[in-house]
Amino acid sequence: MKHGKNYRNSIKEIDIKEVYEPADAMKHVVASAKAKFDETIELHVRLGVDPRQADQQVRGTVVLPNGTGKTVKVLVIAKGDKADAALAAGADIVGAEEIIAKIQNENFLDFDVCITSPDMMGQMGRVARILGPKGLMPSPKSGTVTTDIAKAVKETKAGKVEYRVDKTAIVHCPIGKKSFGDEKLLENFNSLMEAIVKAKPAAAKGTYIRSVTASATMGPGIKVYYRV
């Protein structure tokens, strides 16, 4: 694979074999983001779990102290007081059966996060096949099926992210933008890593955090040393 000029210049500035302390890693990852746009900084954490086993799944949410730098469009499917609370909390789209029908009949997907109340989940089954593959189906585990709609909307807008181990036992999650600078990125890094450590399944054996890598959208991967 042939990399671009910015990537080649960035790779010269780091030691790809070196495992950096988190503070140094954040400085390097910011310096490696040389594109003309505000690159997203992502964390990739390889875990010592077997994702094929139901008792070794790692999934949860965390509110990053400095947010993600992304404007999140929130859809809330609820009725009555919960719908009113969603609007007051800053939800972008609020509705009930008519929104479900729009998703089902028009493949409406113009939103980033879908939050709903438990009483609407019976009807949400009609669109599970549409939302599920897109990662948009509400779930109690991700905090998007809740009776406290206002809190869920505010946290999502403030920078709540969901982390989830994939089939290769790696968690991929954004921790901010290049423009945040290394100090804010370090704060977000620590919050995410603490949440992943707390989510360690009881069935997981051996080393839990196998490796941690940070990278900008167009930059090289930078290995990060993390003490559990």
Side-chain angles (χ1 to χ4, degrees):
M1 180 178 178
K2 186 175 181 180
H3 292 290
K5 180 181 178 181
N6 286 340
Y7 182 97
R8 296 197 303 272
N9 288 337
S10 294
I11 205 77
K12 293 176 183 177
E13 298 171 5
I14 62 169
D15 182 349
I16 59 173
K17 295 182 180 179
E18 179 74 20
V19 182
Y20 294 94
E21 290 288 339
D24 291 332
M26 294 305 107
K27 290 178 182 177
H28 282 300
V29 80
V30 169
S32 74
K34 299 181 183 298
K36 294 181 180 179
F37 62 93
D38 193 8
E39 295 183 53
T40 296
I41 310 301
E42 288 196 347
L43 211 59
H44 312 277
V45 186
R46 183 180 294 278
L47 302 177
V49 299
D50 183 353
R52 296 171 298 178
Q53 306 301 318
D55 59 356
Q56 294 191 46
Q57 292 296 310
V58 178
R59 180 180 183 182
T61 60
V62 61
V63 178
L64 299 178
N66 300 298
T68 62
K70 178 183 177 182
T71 301
V72 180
K73 193 170 187 178
V74 178
L75 163 66
V76 172
I77 296 179
K79 294 180 177 179
D81 293 343
K82 293 183 177 64
D84 293 338
L87 284 170
D92 299 282
I93 309 168
V94 179
E97 290 89 353
E98 73 279 9
I99 297 293
I100 295 175
K102 189 173 183 179
I103 295 171
Q104 185 177 23
N105 300 326
E106 302 175 27
N107 202 40
F108 173 69
L109 295 171
D110 187 22
F111 52 91
D112 301 303
V113 177
C114 179
I115 298 170
T116 188
S117 54
D119 59 296
M120 295 299 296
M121 278 303 287
Q123 297 184 57
M124 288 297 293
R126 291 158 46 192
V127 293
R129 290 185 178 180
I130 298 172
L131 299 184
K134 301 289 186 180
L136 295 172
M137 185 64 185
S139 164
K141 288 185 177 179
S142 65
T144 47
V145 177
T146 176
T147 55
D148 195 342
I149 296 289
K151 180 182 178 182
V153 171
K154 288 177 181 177
E155 287 185 343
T156 300
K157 287 287 189 177
K160 184 172 78 171
V161 295
E162 180 180 5
Y163 58 88
R164 184 176 187 177
V165 69
D166 66 14
K167 62 182 179 180
T168 64
I170 300 176
V171 171
H172 306 275
C173 193
I175 58 169
K177 297 284 188 178
K178 173 191 175 180
S179 58
F180 281 22
D182 56 282
E183 291 185 5
K184 288 185 176 181
L185 287 172
L186 181 61
E187 291 175 359
N188 282 358
F189 167 88
N190 287 330
S191 294
L192 177 60
M193 290 304 301
E194 287 169 9
I196 292 174
V197 170
K198 287 180 181 179
K200 179 182 178 180
K205 305 299 180 184
T207 303
Y208 179 53
I209 304 293
R210 294 287 178 85
S211 67
V212 181
T213 304
S215 65
T217 304
M218 306 296 288
I222 295 170
K223 297 176 183 177
V224 189
Y225 179 66
Y226 187 77
R227 300 175 184 86
V228 178

